[in-house]
Amino acid sequence: MIYKTLARLFGDKKYYTSYYKSAIHKYTDIDSYLNVFRKVMGAKSVVKTKRKITFLDDLPFGSSFNEIKNRIYGSYRIVRELENISIILSEVKIHNYKFIVELHFYKQKLVFYKYIFKSKEHKNLLLNLMLDKYLNKDEADLRMKNLTITDNDNNRLLLEDEVHLSISYLTFKFGFLEHLFELKEQKELDEFNRSEKALKELLSKL
């Protein structure tokens, strides 16, 4: 239901909320991405689905930024804070269901997307819809706080029932994870060099 109607529910006005502002800050931090990968790689419970994990049936991981943007007919914002990474943020309403959509692209290819449901009113219904889509209900414990699902292509879905219900989808293809590690390494090297420079300047003044 959610997936079939997403492409028709966006508009052309600029999307700007407090969440947009916090997302800009969040995704300047490489660990915001790495933490999601760590969760799915370290998950104690991983359930296999026979269904392909994909944004829309004809828009799988690796779909281009323009392919997806051209299918959007609603309010959204584009964020570019990290090298080669672009993000589309929007808020969608389907009848009484309101949620936030994040679409993340590396080198113009879709590599990560996320839905955030802030309302707790329909949480159990959404959980049931998710399990109906990807699993037999007997395969997963509805009481689980976090659940990781994987498909035959090793794409992952991370369901987190914490302050808000969120569903993260990611792929290990297209070099995104490797790029994050490179950015992390470069950031740590830059911080080390700045620290060394500061120490030398301090020493010269003693």
Side-chain angles (χ1 to χ4, degrees), residues 41-59:
M41 289 188 291
K44 294 180 181 179
S45 174
V46 179
V47 185
K48 191 75 173 285
T49 179
K50 295 178 182 178
R51 187 180 182 115
K52 188 174 182 178
I53 296 174
T54 179
F55 177 57
L56 294 173
D57 288 342
D58 60 339
L59 290 175

Side-chain angles (χ1 to χ4, degrees), residues 29 65 72 95 103 107 111 123 129 180-181 197 201:
D29 183 359
F65 180 89
I72 294 174
H95 301 298
L103 298 161
K107 290 186 175 179
V111 291
K123 184 170 68 174
L129 285 172
L180 294 174
F181 283 134
K197 182 179 179 181
E201 289 179 3

Side-chain angles (χ1 to χ4, degrees), residues 106-117:
Y106 169 59
K107 290 186 175 179
Q108 303 296 301
K109 293 181 179 180
L110 180 67
V111 291
F112 172 62
Y113 59 99
K114 184 175 183 177
Y115 303 135
I116 301 165
F117 301 87

Side-chain angles (χ1 to χ4, degrees), residues 28 40 78 87 95 108 111-112 130 144 191 199 204:
T28 59
V40 298
I78 297 171
I87 309 168
H95 301 298
Q108 303 296 301
V111 291
F112 172 62
M130 177 58 56
M144 293 183 89
E191 289 173 351
L199 286 173
S204 68

Side-chain angles (χ1 to χ4, degrees), residues 1-9 51 55-56 92 94-97 99 115 117 122 125-126 129-130 133:
M1 177 180 67
I2 290 173
Y3 307 89
K4 290 181 180 178
T5 53
L6 271 174
R8 296 185 287 104
L9 293 169
R51 187 180 182 115
F55 177 57
L56 294 173
V92 173
I94 302 175
H95 301 298
N96 295 324
Y97 308 108
F99 56 99
Y115 303 135
F117 301 87
H122 305 291
L125 173 62
L126 292 165
L129 285 172
M130 177 58 56
K133 180 179 174 72

Side-chain angles (χ1 to χ4, degrees), residues 119-159:
S119 173
K120 297 181 180 180
E121 184 179 356
H122 305 291
K123 184 170 68 174
N124 288 336
L125 173 62
L126 292 165
L127 287 169
N128 278 309
L129 285 172
M130 177 58 56
L131 295 177
D132 282 345
K133 180 179 174 72
Y134 288 104
L135 306 171
N136 296 321
K137 288 184 182 179
D138 293 339
E139 293 182 272
D141 186 347
L142 283 172
R143 296 169 298 174
M144 293 183 89
K145 193 172 185 181
N146 299 303
L147 176 67
T148 299
I149 299 172
T150 183
D151 67 8
N152 290 328
D153 293 325
N154 200 27
N155 299 318
R156 302 293 179 93
L157 180 161
L158 174 64
L159 191 152

